Amino acid sequence: MPSNVLRVVRHAAIATVVLATSLATGCSTPVAGQAVPAGSGSPAGDRALVEDYYDELNAAADEGTLDDFLRHTQHPDYLDRLCDLSGLTLHVLPALSTLRADPEWTPPQEREQPRGAVYVLGVSISIRDDGTLLGEQIGSQRVVVLDGRAYGFSPCLFGE
């Protein structure tokens, strides 16, 4: 196969894996505290924090600082689950009308819920490599509001 075709196939496979494994996997180090029911904060305030999270995520993608953004907004209980995006850029468009509390959610391979108010919402994700669109998909993502700040979970390639 020509190298250009192999590159496209590789990136399509990476894009599929990124979306399929958008929740962090692997081991984690517990942090003191308890899961907090999602209704404990101001729903309007939490919605604004989630909206700001996605605005800042997309701005970081545009500025080429997405890895830094994901590192600084990774839920503090899962800091050991950061993954390298291998230069790919994600743009995530949240459907805020779908935002709802998800207090029973537990990350894969975990027994306990993350601390904070857990929310789930529909998103449209586009993945680009050096400006070239590799794929788009609609799915769900979790965001946690903890201590007045929105946190997410870094997507991992190939189950890193």
Side-chain angles (χ1 to χ4, degrees):
M1 290 179 121
S3 63
N4 288 348
V5 172
L6 287 174
R7 184 172 185 252
V8 169
V9 169
R10 175 187 169 267
H11 289 299
I14 289 171
T16 301
V17 172
V18 166
L19 294 175
T21 61
S22 63
L23 295 175
T25 59
C27 299
S28 68
T29 303
V31 176
Q34 296 283 335
V36 176
S40 65
S42 159
D46 287 358
R47 179 186 168 105
L49 291 171
V50 170
E51 185 172 14
D52 289 346
Y53 171 84
Y54 284 107
D55 288 344
E56 292 169 18
L57 182 148
N58 291 323
D62 292 341
E63 295 167 3
T65 60
L66 185 57
D67 287 329
D68 288 338
F69 173 83
L70 292 173
R71 185 173 34 262
H72 289 102
T73 60
Q74 178 80 351
H75 190 287
D77 294 349
Y78 305 93
L79 293 176
D80 60 336
R81 292 188 180 188
L82 289 168
C83 297
D84 180 12
L85 292 178
S86 299
L88 297 177
T89 302
L90 306 177
H91 277 86
V92 183
L93 299 175
L96 290 169
S97 63
T98 67
L99 182 69
R100 67 187 184 282
D102 194 6
E104 301 300 317
W105 179 76
T106 303
Q109 302 177 353
E110 292 294 322
R111 293 183 179 176
E112 300 200 15
Q113 298 148 339
R115 292 178 301 131
V118 178
Y119 294 95
V120 62
L121 72 159
V123 296
S124 174
I125 303 171
S126 65
I127 301 172
R128 296 183 183 275
D129 181 15
D130 197 27
T132 301
L133 181 65
L134 299 178
E136 293 181 319
Q137 188 167 351
I138 295 173
S140 297
Q141 283 191 338
R142 302 301 189 301
V143 178
V144 177
V145 174
L146 174 66
D147 297 331
R149 184 169 176 199
Y151 293 95
F153 301 90
S154 177
C156 294
L157 302 176
F158 303 113
E160 293 177 37

